[in-house]
Amino acid sequence: MPYPADVVERYRAAGHWERRPLADYLLDVADRTPDALALVDGDVRLTHRDLMVRADGAAMRLRELGLRPDDRILVQLPNGWELIVLIVACLRLGAIPVLALTAHRQHELDHLVERAEARAIAVPDTLAGFDHQGMARVIASRAPTVEQVLVSGEEVRTGSVDLRALLRPADDPAGARAALDAITPDPLSAALMLLSGGTTGQPKLIARTHEDYGCYVRSIVDVCLLTSDSVYLTLLPLGHSLPLGTALAALVAGGRVVLEATPAPERAFATIERERVTATALVPAVAQRWLEHRLVDTDSDLSSVELMLVGGARLPDSLAERIAPALTRNLQQGYGMGEGGACLTRVGDPSDIIWHTQGRPMCAGDELLLVGEDGEPVPDGEPGELLTRGPCTIRGYYRAPEHNAGAFTADGWLRTGDVVRIRPDGYLVVEGREKDLINRGGEKISAEEVENFAYQVDGVSQAALVAMPDPVLGERACLYVVPRPGALVRLEDVEEVITRAGAARYKVPERLVVVDELPSTNIGKIDKKALRADIAQRLDAERLTAPAAS
Ligand code: AMP
């Protein structure tokens, strides 16, 4: 969905867009400070020059495998140097990485391959005991478009391509650079695709252009105060926009990215101390785990951490107030989405703002509009659904015209489905959401998708998935079911359907409530607000009646 020509001109004239492909910024850094460290992943340490020479090597080899500019590559890799080098290789070639999460399984990947018409799939051999290579080969054997399975790890089977070998430095760095410079992508073309945390059955593809993602990344550099001295710890999945954006921003600033595949505090604290990490980004559930771990690990030296960005789900005020100075000198709250720009608090803002708001737009070109149920703007200070538009916000999902008709207004505003309030000082406070999803510690679960699974269980007459409050993850999924007369429905039955469909495990509801009927709104829809209140009340009652912990 291209940006209208007049909008392109406006964003360029204002300096939000710079007519440059994304990898140009990384090449600049590699030319300026080739020997500065760019990536640290365990024992692997790559300089900015290494990063670009490997990316160029990989881009040339992808070309030899038949991949061309604009071809889509489905990428399902854990955080690691291989993932970053592959993404940069795609940027250099003009191929488009489609970033899936490692939790996704065949159900999600089949859909993504088909929707993106992917020509290659990149996976680890195995991860946490799961055979990703086997899964990718089954998908590839059935999908007419997929020609290559790229596998990272020790066990690359015959017929798969060894990804680590593909990512070795270019044999002729100057020649590779010249060849790739000659096919440099159009800055208005798609650089990468992210997945929507949306409400529909399967995720929508979010195509971010070189120029819009470049604007996003440069805005992060400014607002997160990243410099060549920054050491950014990336431990949330890079398939999400903010972890990816912050990692690229640290590199564009000339700094270094330290990669961890999980946010476990035991390991993260040791990494922070060893690498003198200056900044990182967490979701609230992880921040809480870190705070708890800090109580038992008071020895690790976290004094290098200047900035901790927390977002992706609502950070409770009480938690916000404890993060600095326990874990960092400065807390930064953030609100954003794969589809667009982000709001962030600023370093130096008063505590009231940092503790109680989710920031203000990080790019001066971002526009916010709050509307009521009638679609009309709400009075100042009142909560409303947030619509956004701007130089980092898409104008439509990839190949989804019907969905786009509802998700965007005619004049290009994205309906976020989030209910927010804007304070007189311009800072935004997330108050709730209208969209039908569960935000499980930052991972989004579409209610519609899980309800569709539930309807496949024998004996289910009606099903509704709602968020239940959770002290650790913020929210978890609770399934309400009305069984057919005489039928018995168990959570295991729902789990079995989801497993049989080959869908990601995090979609399995964590609680089942069987009821005789579901409440409905006055227009006859299932009243999910009432169900959310009902489960919250049940949990409260259980807490009151639970025996006190000894
Ligand atoms: P995703 O595209 O997966 O990052 O999901 C974006 C959605 O996450 C937003 O539309 C919000 O619903 C939610 N979200 C992100 N940041 C926050 C935040 N700070 N507070 C509350 N919800 C948030």
Side-chain angles (χ1 to χ4, degrees):
M1 290 294 292
Y3 292 84
D6 60 319
V7 172
V8 172
E9 284 321 307
R10 190 148 44 83
Y11 290 160
R12 285 178 171 168
H16 303 311
W17 289 5
E18 296 191 325
R19 288 178 192 263
R20 301 185 76 190
L22 201 44
D24 263 26
Y25 298 97
L26 300 171
L27 282 170
D28 280 356
V29 175
D31 290 343
R32 230 173 27 237
T33 53
D35 298 320
L37 267 185
L39 298 181
V40 177
D41 175 8
D43 294 338
V44 177
R45 300 176 91 80
L46 301 180
T47 64
H48 279 276
R49 187 209 289 116
D50 295 336
L51 166 61
M52 296 318 292
V53 171
R54 278 182 182 266
D56 279 2
M60 296 300 282
R61 289 180 199 105
L62 286 171
R63 209 157 74 143
E64 282 158 23
L65 287 175
L67 287 148
R68 294 286 171 262
D70 198 40
D71 281 346
R72 272 77 65 199
I73 303 181
L74 181 70
V75 179
Q76 187 196 38
L77 291 171
N79 287 359
W81 69 268
E82 297 93 337
L83 175 53
I84 300 256
V85 176
L86 180 60
I87 290 172
V88 181
C90 289
L91 295 177
R92 288 289 284 151
L93 179 61
I96 303 170
V98 179
L99 298 170
L101 301 176
T102 54
H104 286 151
R105 293 293 177 260
Q106 194 156 338
H107 174 71
E108 290 83 14
L109 298 190
D110 270 340
H111 163 78
L112 295 173
V113 159
E114 190 247 321
R115 186 53 64 99
E117 299 183 47
R119 293 202 54 209
I121 307 178
V123 286
D125 51 356
T126 60
L127 193 65
F130 183 78
D131 179 10
H132 286 260
Q133 177 168 209
M135 173 178 64
R137 288 165 67 112
V138 169
I139 296 169
S141 69
R142 295 198 312 218
T145 55
V146 179
E147 286 160 24
Q148 310 289 348
V149 174
L150 317 173
V151 177
S152 164
E154 303 304 319
E155 200 218 317
V156 179
R157 294 183 211 150
T158 314
S160 303
V161 175
D162 183 341
L163 181 63
R164 287 194 187 137
L166 185 104
L167 300 176
R168 38 181 225 286
D171 303 320
D172 166 16
R177 171 132 180 202
L180 293 164
D181 283 350
I183 55 162
T184 189
D186 177 351
L188 291 175
S189 66
L192 47 93
M193 288 190 187
L194 301 164
L195 310 185
S196 74
T199 51
T200 49
Q202 285 274 23
K204 298 271 169 291
L205 290 173
I206 301 168
R208 303 289 303 256
T209 65
H210 286 263
E211 261 175 302
D212 97 65
Y213 213 70
C215 173
Y216 180 70
V217 166
R218 287 183 295 111
S219 303
I220 294 176
V221 172
D222 290 345
V223 176
C224 297
L225 309 177
L226 298 174
T227 69
S228 54
D229 292 329
S230 296
V231 181
Y232 210 98
L233 176 61
T234 296
L235 28 67
L236 299 177
L238 278 162
H240 285 303
S241 188
L242 200 67
L244 178 66
T246 47
L248 289 176
L251 295 174
V252 163
R256 100 183 44 149
V257 173
V258 179
L259 294 148
E260 285 288 347
T262 78
E266 296 78 6
R267 211 182 141 100
F269 283 16
T271 303
I272 289 172
E273 180 170 314
R274 189 183 65 242
E275 301 295 336
R276 307 296 300 154
V277 165
T278 64
T280 190
L282 306 179
V283 289
V286 172
Q288 180 166 348
R289 263 172 82 194
W290 283 28
L291 274 174
E292 281 160 15
H293 185 69
R294 189 59 172 156
L295 298 177
V296 291
D297 173 1
T298 47
D299 288 344
S300 294
D301 180 3
L302 307 184
S303 62
S304 56
V305 185
E306 291 286 338
L307 188 67
M308 186 169 285
L309 168 51
V310 182
R314 183 70 155 83
L315 179 63
D317 293 356
S318 57
L319 196 56
E321 291 170 15
R322 288 160 51 217
I323 287 176
L327 300 173
T328 174
R329 237 187 301 291
N330 297 288
L331 165 68
Q332 181 170 50
Q333 285 211 49
Y335 158 86
M337 64 210 66
E339 288 84 344
C343 289
L344 296 176
T345 60
R346 307 299 201 262
V347 174
D349 276 344
S351 307
D352 167 49
I353 288 180
I354 290 176
W355 290 342
H356 305 134
T357 83
Q358 284 65 58
R360 60 183 163 86
M362 62 177 185
C363 170
D366 286 336
E367 300 171 85
L368 309 181
L369 177 66
L370 301 192
V371 298
E373 275 171 18
D374 56 2
E376 292 301 314
V378 297
D380 286 352
E382 297 278 312
E385 186 194 0
L386 175 66
L387 311 190
T388 64
R389 198 168 62 172
C392 328
T393 302
I394 57 165
R395 293 286 174 140
Y397 295 98
Y398 182 67
R399 292 191 179 158
E402 279 170 26
H403 183 73
N404 286 340
F408 293 82
T409 67
D411 41 6
W413 293 91
L414 164 72
R415 298 183 207 273
T416 66
D418 293 315
V419 176
V420 312
R421 178 166 61 80
I422 296 180
R423 307 190 339 165
D425 57 14
Y427 282 78
L428 159 158
V429 179
V430 180
E431 302 254 315
R433 76 181 164 252
E434 282 172 3
K435 57 186 167 189
D436 201 5
L437 54 80
I438 288 83
N439 189 339
R440 187 181 183 279
E443 224 54 88
K444 314 299 182 303
I445 301 171
S446 148
E448 179 190 308
E449 181 178 25
V450 177
E451 288 159 7
N452 286 339
F453 286 131
Y455 280 115
Q456 293 171 31
V457 174
D458 264 352
V460 169
S461 162
Q462 273 190 299
L465 193 79
V466 293
M468 60 179 172
D470 181 77
V472 177
L473 291 173
E475 297 176 7
R476 290 182 197 261
C478 171
L479 182 69
Y480 277 79
V481 158
V482 178
R484 293 223 172 81
L488 176 73
V489 178
R490 298 164 316 160
L491 199 52
E492 298 90 276
D493 303 329
V494 181
E495 180 176 354
E496 202 203 311
V497 168
I498 294 181
T499 311
R500 208 170 346 112
R505 257 213 85 71
Y506 67 85
K507 296 178 179 173
V508 176
E510 283 160 287
R511 181 165 175 150
L512 178 76
V513 179
V514 176
V515 289
D516 292 337
E517 60 177 341
L518 294 174
S520 50
T521 63
N522 53 13
I523 53 163
K525 281 173 46 175
I526 293 174
D527 186 349
K528 292 208 163 175
K529 212 165 150 187
L531 290 178
R532 281 194 295 271
D534 180 70
I535 184 63
Q537 215 172 29
R538 284 172 192 253
L539 290 171
D540 275 348
E542 283 168 13
R543 245 191 308 277
L544 287 176
T545 52
S550 53

